[in-house]
Amino acid sequence: AQKVTQAQTEISVVEKEDVTLDCVYETRDTTYYLFWYKQPPSGELVFLIRRNSFDEQNEISGRYSWNFQKSTSSFNFTITASQVVDSAVYFCALSEESSGAGGTSYGKLTFGQGTILTVHP
Amino acid sequence: KAGVTQTPRYLIKTRGQQVTLSCSPISGHRSVSWYQQTPGQGLQFLFEYFSETQRNKGNFPGRFSGRQFSNSRSEMNVSTLELGDSALYLCASSSPGRGVSGANVLTFGAGSRLTVL
């Protein structure tokens, strides 16, 4: 069974601080995707980043960066120079491959418990 | 490009009733997934539909069911509502494909918030 653990329940920082959200996952699949989603108070889950299991290259996208390490099954997410608008609940998620007639899909996600990030002005 | 549309956004039901929630995916997306979000259990997978076929089902009782139509629109139904079914129900759609930019990224709707009294 797949499992995603976000050890940090809540994080509070002051604006312009860097903040790293931790995520550890468990899976027996060899092909999978890892995601970070953000859920602001409005409730809609907003896609942030995705990484597939066969590409460990870490990247930076604007103020976001991530560190994917298969050896430790970790997929940590960093926000640089945080802003008040970054305040939200952040979810790490792991997808599961499903094959059948018509092709392969990855619609089943296992989510972590979420990390509440509060950025104070 | 229109996003994922869920209706209704809010609804109140009483125990024992049934409810049907609707989801219109992004045009061209063939996979539709449903999730339940509660404060106690977090985000839990309900089911995934792909080309009108149920691909996966989460660990929920048979009272929870769904279907997908030929235009990829999906509905989920909960019968004999219980207080514990009060939750935010999220629908997500995705376009399958390996190595295709944007493929397999679930785009979520704003959700349907169900309150059971």
Side-chain angles (χ1 to χ4, degrees):
Chain A
Q2 301 198 327
K3 186 177 180 181
V4 176
T5 302
Q6 293 178 247
Q8 304 144 313
T9 304
E10 290 190 55
I11 298 177
S12 181
V13 299
V14 177
E15 207 169 21
K16 297 184 182 178
E17 280 187 41
D18 297 346
V19 57
T20 295
L21 308 180
D22 297 333
C23 174
V24 174
Y25 64 94
E26 295 176 29
T27 181
R28 293 183 178 179
D29 292 348
T30 55
T31 302
Y32 52 89
Y33 288 92
L34 291 160
F35 300 84
W36 277 97
Y37 281 88
K38 169 184 177 180
Q39 188 175 42
S42 61
E44 187 169 341
L45 280 167
V46 178
F47 166 74
L48 295 175
I49 56 175
R50 175 188 72 171
R51 176 53 61 199
N52 60 50
S53 56
F54 38 91
D55 182 359
E56 287 193 66
Q57 181 179 356
N58 294 309
E59 296 182 21
I60 297 173
S61 176
R63 295 188 298 111
Y64 300 154
S65 63
W66 50 96
N67 188 336
F68 173 42
Q69 292 192 353
K70 262 179 128 171
S71 59
T72 56
S73 297
S74 65
F75 185 51
N76 299 334
F77 173 61
T78 298
I79 302 174
T80 302
S82 60
Q83 301 174 1
V84 173
V85 293
D86 294 328
S87 297
V89 183
Y90 289 80
F91 292 95
C92 178
L94 170 65
S95 71
E96 184 174 317
E97 182 177 280
S98 177
S99 299
T104 301
S105 61
Y106 293 83
K108 180 180 179 182
L109 295 183
T110 299
F111 284 90
Q113 306 92 311
T115 298
I116 301 171
L117 174 63
T118 304
V119 182
H120 299 281
Chain B
K1 192 175 185 181
V4 178
T5 303
Q6 292 188 245
T7 56
R9 289 292 315 280
Y10 302 91
L11 64 165
I12 300 174
K13 294 285 187 178
T14 56
R15 280 185 300 172
Q17 287 187 312
Q18 74 162 10
V19 65
T20 298
L21 308 178
S22 178
C23 173
S24 293
I26 290 174
S27 178
H29 284 190
R30 291 157 56 196
S31 172
V32 174
S33 303
W34 289 88
Y35 293 82
Q36 181 197 64
Q37 185 176 26
T38 59
Q41 300 299 317
L43 278 158
Q44 292 185 291
F45 171 77
L46 279 159
F47 19 67
E48 176 193 8
Y49 287 89
F50 184 86
S51 295
E52 302 179 66
T53 302
Q54 188 178 87
R55 277 281 174 95
N56 281 296
K57 190 177 192 306
N59 188 26
F60 280 83
R63 300 185 297 107
F64 291 82
S65 63
R67 59 178 175 169
Q68 186 180 33
F69 302 96
S70 59
N71 61 358
S72 292
R73 191 177 71 84
S74 177
E75 289 181 348
M76 68 162 284
N77 184 77
V78 187
S79 62
T80 319
L81 284 167
E82 299 177 359
L83 295 179
D85 298 333
S86 295
L88 178 65
Y89 290 89
L90 292 163
C91 168
S93 72
S94 63
S95 175
R98 279 199 186 185
V100 177
S101 176
N104 302 314
V105 173
L106 271 65
T107 300
F108 284 82
S112 293
R113 186 166 294 280
L114 170 66
T115 301
V116 182
L117 303 176

